[in-house]
Amino acid sequence: MNRTSPFPTDVGRGQQSSVLATNKVIRNTYMLLSVTLLFSALTAGVSMALALPHPGMIITLVGYFGLLFLTTKLRNSAGGIVAVFALTGFMGYTLGPIISHYLNMPNGTQTVMTAMAATGAIFLGLSGYALTTRKDFSFMGGFLMVGILVAFLAGLGAIFFSIPALSLTVSAAFVLLMSGLILYETSNIIHGGETNYIMATVTLFVSIFNLFTSLLHLLGFMNDD
């Protein structure tokens, strides 16, 4: 007589192990993301308090991509944690002068707070949707990669040629692209496509950062008398 074994099969153990590993990545990612967001806010606050000037586009790009490369290289070691804090701290420093600029505008405090609240609501809403529905958004990967590259190059063009309309269009595009990236990366973690919580944290942090600055730009334009 065939009987069902009371002990888990190899397949069952494999599935259970996969679920536990995924849950661990999710837990570690959101824990590290929370700490890095606080650290970035701290460096932004220090930058604002000391009235530090913005480092400029070239230093910002070199610093960002250099620290991103370092984080990627060290992602499987303890040094990766240090690199993540260096990256997010640097991004917080560059954000300080930007926030100061908007605070000095008419209704500046309201603009900054609205952008912050909208960013939090979008992130929590999209992350919660991906986590609860467990839908697979991997099909968005190619579109997001191309879209972000095009929007990035268009943003550089808007800066070099001083085209405000193009700059606003890029900001609107980044709001949509970063929202899609939040869905994509959260889904990627859930379905085992991303198993490194350091890289998952960086992706989500960059998404939140760009989402906030893009909303700030759009709201600042609408509130500018």
Side-chain angles (χ1 to χ4, degrees):
M1 180 182 297
N2 294 328
R3 294 185 179 181
T4 302
S5 172
F7 302 102
T9 63
D10 290 340
V11 174
R13 282 195 295 267
Q15 291 176 340
Q16 185 179 23
S17 176
S18 177
V19 170
L20 291 175
T22 298
N23 290 339
K24 184 178 180 180
V25 173
I26 293 174
R27 183 175 63 254
N28 289 343
T29 296
Y30 282 96
M31 185 179 299
L32 182 59
L33 179 63
S34 299
V35 177
T36 52
L37 284 171
L38 290 174
F39 180 67
S40 182
L42 176 63
T43 56
V46 171
S47 178
M48 294 169 61
L50 298 178
L52 298 178
H54 193 276
M57 184 180 66
I58 294 178
I59 294 178
T60 298
L61 291 178
V62 171
Y64 168 71
F65 285 109
L67 289 170
L68 180 61
F69 173 79
L70 180 64
T71 303
T72 303
K73 188 175 180 62
L74 299 175
R75 64 186 182 275
N76 293 317
S77 66
I81 301 292
V82 178
V84 168
F85 278 96
L87 173 61
T88 56
F90 175 75
M91 293 177 73
Y93 155 61
T94 64
L95 183 61
I98 297 175
I99 295 178
S100 294
H101 168 74
Y102 283 98
L103 287 176
N104 290 326
M105 294 173 59
N107 301 316
T109 301
Q110 180 182 355
T111 299
V112 173
M113 295 305 294
T114 302
M116 191 178 300
T119 300
I122 291 172
F123 175 75
L124 292 175
L126 294 176
S127 296
Y129 177 77
L131 287 169
T132 54
T133 63
R134 303 187 71 86
K135 288 186 177 181
D136 188 355
F137 291 97
S138 60
F139 64 90
M140 299 173 63
F143 167 77
L144 289 172
M145 183 179 298
V146 173
I148 291 171
L149 178 60
V150 171
F152 175 73
L153 294 176
L156 292 180
I159 294 173
F160 281 120
F161 298 107
S162 300
I163 308 175
L166 179 57
S167 181
L168 288 171
T169 302
V170 169
S171 292
F174 260 104
V175 170
L176 296 176
L177 289 168
M178 293 304 105
S179 297
L181 188 57
I182 290 170
L183 279 176
Y184 170 79
E185 186 62 17
T186 306
S187 170
N188 212 20
I189 298 171
I190 295 171
H191 297 284
E194 179 60 83
T195 58
N196 188 291
Y197 71 93
I198 289 179
M199 296 312 299
T201 298
V202 169
T203 301
L204 291 176
F205 181 93
V206 170
S207 301
I208 294 171
F209 182 93
N210 286 323
L211 181 59
F212 173 67
T213 54
S214 298
L215 287 171
L216 198 57
H217 186 202
L218 292 172
L219 292 171
F221 172 77
M222 290 187 290
N223 291 331
D224 190 358
D225 294 334

